[in-house]
């Protein structure tokens, strides 16, 4: 079974280019609600691509069973891509997909969009965006009209797991030079082009002409060639929140230079550790990072120069940076805890079950 799944996954990958991840609503094996146990009162979906076969699954649902779909990217709203970027075809009907090697008026994206529309109109569907931006994409999508409600529930984290560690202790533990300006970058795959590590490195190369820099990296994947004048600490994949907290706390600034983010979870984790965030003003990040209060938002998305300006300001304003870090922790405690997220979902479940 696993080999079959890998084969189909590779086949789908070959049909897509490197612009955005693209997946089909169909999967290797049929999936039905009964396969998961006794009938529930409500279904909450999250990221289900390459796991659940949507045609067989949605067809097995009772028509009035509430289905909450928590959106972590745009795939449920498009013909296959997980981020539409500058394409707005999803607002009408996906076709001529720029994420496909072979696109046209009735390409794979068009067929997937048709299939999703057919499935969605027969279920009691409710979309939940994890940010204002994600919710807006659901409202703009032509598939969103089949949802009976669309709302925002922000992601939350356990602030007991992610806590500030005294920076001097964190730096000493990781052997970071206390005289260096420490910049942290983290993501699941360091080679992910959307995460823009190369743009950050270009900005740091310029910064290193004037300041001594330590770059703290954590995540899996290959990293590009680095400037040998920059001290680099590659921690690899850190699965423990406690180890992640140590890395965040050792940094003077956490940088998230992504081209697009539905929410920006690593930014939230950094803020919970009292480390301010520098990011591009894109996607759901402005819901998390407040410019001039908990970090810095660069306006020119993808611009190394715009990122450099934010980094340079952060280096020069250590006192303000310290205030940003304290305000960042307070913002997480007030707006983005796991308990707040859980209570919002409980209220939604109760509302839908009563209906």
């Amino acid at each position: 079974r696993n080999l079959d799944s890998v084969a189909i996954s590779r086949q789908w990958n070959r049909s897509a280019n490197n612009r955005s991840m693209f997946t089909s609503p169909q999967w290797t094996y049929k999936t039905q609600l009964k396969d998961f146990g006794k009938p529930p009162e409500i279904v909450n979906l999250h990221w289900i691509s390459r796991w659940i076969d949507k045609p067989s699954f949605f067809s097995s649902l009772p028509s009035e069973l509430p289905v909450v779909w928590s959106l972590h990217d745009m795939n449920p709203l498009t013909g296959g891509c997980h981020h539409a970027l500058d394409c707005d075809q999803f607002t009408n009907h996906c076709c001529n997909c720029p994420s496909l090697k072979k696109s046209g008026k009735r390409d794979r994206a068009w067929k997937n969009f048709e299939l999703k529309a057919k499935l969605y109109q027969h279920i009691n569907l409710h979309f939940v965006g994890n940010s204002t931006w994600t919710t807006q994409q659901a409202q703009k999508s032509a598939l969103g009209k089949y949802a009976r409600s669309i709302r925002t529930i922000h992601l939350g984290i356990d602030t007991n797991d992610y806590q500030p560690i005294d920076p001097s202790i964190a730096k000493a533990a990781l052997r970071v030079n206390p005289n260096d300006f420490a910049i942290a970058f983290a993501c699941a795959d360091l080679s992910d082009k959307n995460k823009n590590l190369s743009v950050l490195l270009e900005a740091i190369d310029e910064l290193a002409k004037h300041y001594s820099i330590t770059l703290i990296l954590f995540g899996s994947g290959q990293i590009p060639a680095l400037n040998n004048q920059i001290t680099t600490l590659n921690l690899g994949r850190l699965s423990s929140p406690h180890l992640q907290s140590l890395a965040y706390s050792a940094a003077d600034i956490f940088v998230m230079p992504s081209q697009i983010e539905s929410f920006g979870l690593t930014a939230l984790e950094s803020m919970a550790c009292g480390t301010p965030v520098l990011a591009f003003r894109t996607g759901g990040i402005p819901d998390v990072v407040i410019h001039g209060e908990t970090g810095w938002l660069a306006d020119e998305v993808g611009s190394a120069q715009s990122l450099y300006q934010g980094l340079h300001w952060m280096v020069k304003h250590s006192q303000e940076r310290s205030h940003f870090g304290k305000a960042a922790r307070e913002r997480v405690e007030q707006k983005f805890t796991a308990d707040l997220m859980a209570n919002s979902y409980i209220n939604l479940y109760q509302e839908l079950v009563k209906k």
Side-chain angles (χ1 to χ4, degrees), residues 174 176 182-186 214-218 231-235 247 250-251:
L174 296 179
V176 174
I183 300 169
F185 173 89
T214 290
L215 175 62
I216 302 171
L217 298 170
F218 54 106
T231 301
T232 305
L233 181 61
N234 189 354
L235 300 176

Side-chain angles (χ1 to χ4, degrees), residues 22-213:
F22 187 101
T23 57
S24 168
Q26 297 172 290
W27 191 226
T28 320
Y29 298 98
K30 303 300 180 184
T31 316
Q32 295 187 322
L33 183 63
K34 64 181 178 62
D35 297 334
F36 297 92
K38 66 179 183 179
E41 291 185 76
I42 198 163
V43 170
N44 194 167
L45 304 174
H46 287 269
W47 204 94
I48 61 173
S49 296
R50 297 177 180 171
W51 176 46
I52 286 181
D53 175 68
K54 296 178 182 70
S56 59
F57 182 75
F58 287 137
S59 298
S60 73
L61 300 178
S63 60
E64 290 307 309
L65 176 66
V67 178
V68 175
W69 203 337
S70 300
L71 302 174
H72 297 273
D73 58 28
M74 291 182 63
N75 181 258
L77 312 172
T78 71
C81 71
H82 285 250
H83 278 298
L85 301 177
D86 58 348
C87 175
D88 63 356
Q89 296 276 30
F90 72 100
T91 63
N92 182 29
H93 195 302
C94 285
C95 64
N96 294 310
C97 180
S99 292
L100 292 176
K101 294 178 182 178
K102 294 182 179 180
S103 62
K105 290 185 178 179
R106 298 209 171 196
D107 57 15
R108 179 167 293 181
W110 184 90
K111 294 175 182 177
N112 290 345
F113 202 90
E114 282 283 298
L115 177 57
K116 289 180 181 180
K118 180 180 178 181
L119 296 171
Y120 290 178
Q121 60 188 298
H122 296 297
I123 60 175
N124 182 3
L125 180 61
H126 303 266
F127 283 133
V128 176
N130 58 11
S131 68
T132 303
W133 177 86
T134 310
T135 300
Q136 289 172 344
Q137 305 318 298
Q139 292 166 337
K140 288 163 56 177
S141 172
L143 293 173
K145 68 182 181 181
Y146 299 112
R148 301 188 188 183
S149 72
I150 302 174
R151 70 194 73 199
T152 302
I153 297 178
H154 287 122
L155 295 182
I157 61 175
D158 189 332
T159 50
N160 291 318
D161 283 343
Y162 290 93
Q163 290 195 42
I165 298 171
D166 185 296
S168 62
I169 295 175
K171 288 177 187 288
L174 296 179
R175 298 183 181 180
V176 174
N177 187 333
N179 297 317
D180 283 6
F181 184 70
I183 300 169
F185 173 89
C187 64
D189 182 357
L190 296 173
S191 60
D192 186 340
K193 291 183 178 180
N194 175 59
K195 302 301 181 180
N196 272 340
L197 176 56
S198 60
V199 175
L200 172 60
L201 295 179
E202 185 179 344
I204 292 177
D205 282 348
E206 183 64 28
L207 195 68
K209 296 176 182 179
H210 312 285
Y211 305 98
S212 182
I213 306 295

Side-chain angles (χ1 to χ4, degrees), residues 112-355:
N112 290 345
F113 202 90
E114 282 283 298
L115 177 57
K116 289 180 181 180
K118 180 180 178 181
L119 296 171
Y120 290 178
Q121 60 188 298
H122 296 297
I123 60 175
N124 182 3
L125 180 61
H126 303 266
F127 283 133
V128 176
N130 58 11
S131 68
T132 303
W133 177 86
T134 310
T135 300
Q136 289 172 344
Q137 305 318 298
Q139 292 166 337
K140 288 163 56 177
S141 172
L143 293 173
K145 68 182 181 181
Y146 299 112
R148 301 188 188 183
S149 72
I150 302 174
R151 70 194 73 199
T152 302
I153 297 178
H154 287 122
L155 295 182
I157 61 175
D158 189 332
T159 50
N160 291 318
D161 283 343
Y162 290 93
Q163 290 195 42
I165 298 171
D166 185 296
S168 62
I169 295 175
K171 288 177 187 288
L174 296 179
R175 298 183 181 180
V176 174
N177 187 333
N179 297 317
D180 283 6
F181 184 70
I183 300 169
F185 173 89
C187 64
D189 182 357
L190 296 173
S191 60
D192 186 340
K193 291 183 178 180
N194 175 59
K195 302 301 181 180
N196 272 340
L197 176 56
S198 60
V199 175
L200 172 60
L201 295 179
E202 185 179 344
I204 292 177
D205 282 348
E206 183 64 28
L207 195 68
K209 296 176 182 179
H210 312 285
Y211 305 98
S212 182
I213 306 295
T214 290
L215 175 62
I216 302 171
L217 298 170
F218 54 106
S220 302
Q222 296 295 317
I223 60 175
L226 300 172
N227 184 337
N228 57 17
Q229 294 181 333
I230 300 169
T231 301
T232 305
L233 181 61
N234 189 354
L235 300 176
R237 182 173 178 269
L238 301 179
S239 57
S240 163
H242 299 281
L243 293 176
Q244 291 172 5
S245 295
L246 185 68
Y248 287 126
S249 298
D252 296 299
I253 183 75
F254 177 77
V255 184
M256 174 182 273
S258 303
Q259 189 76 14
I260 190 68
E261 289 283 347
S262 298
F263 180 75
L265 186 59
T266 53
L268 191 65
E269 292 168 354
S270 175
M271 288 169 56
C273 296
T275 301
V277 175
L278 167 62
F280 288 122
R281 194 187 297 273
T282 182
I285 295 176
D287 276 18
V288 182
V289 181
I290 306 301
H291 180 73
E293 291 184 23
T294 67
W296 180 285
L297 293 176
D299 289 319
E300 297 180 45
V301 179
S303 164
Q305 179 60 30
S306 185
L307 210 60
Y308 167 78
Q309 291 171 354
L311 285 170
H312 187 262
W313 190 94
M314 286 289 186
V315 175
K316 297 288 288 184
H317 296 83
S318 59
Q319 187 172 356
E320 289 88 343
R321 194 174 69 239
S322 177
H323 292 323
F324 287 178
K326 292 175 182 176
R329 172 69 186 187
E330 292 173 0
R331 179 164 174 77
V332 175
E333 291 175 331
Q334 294 169 3
K335 301 284 188 181
F336 298 101
T337 67
D339 286 343
L340 287 171
M341 178 180 68
N343 288 334
S344 295
Y345 271 102
I346 289 170
N347 291 336
L348 172 59
Y349 297 159
Q350 291 174 337
E351 173 191 330
L352 297 180
V353 169
K354 286 180 182 178
K355 286 183 180 180

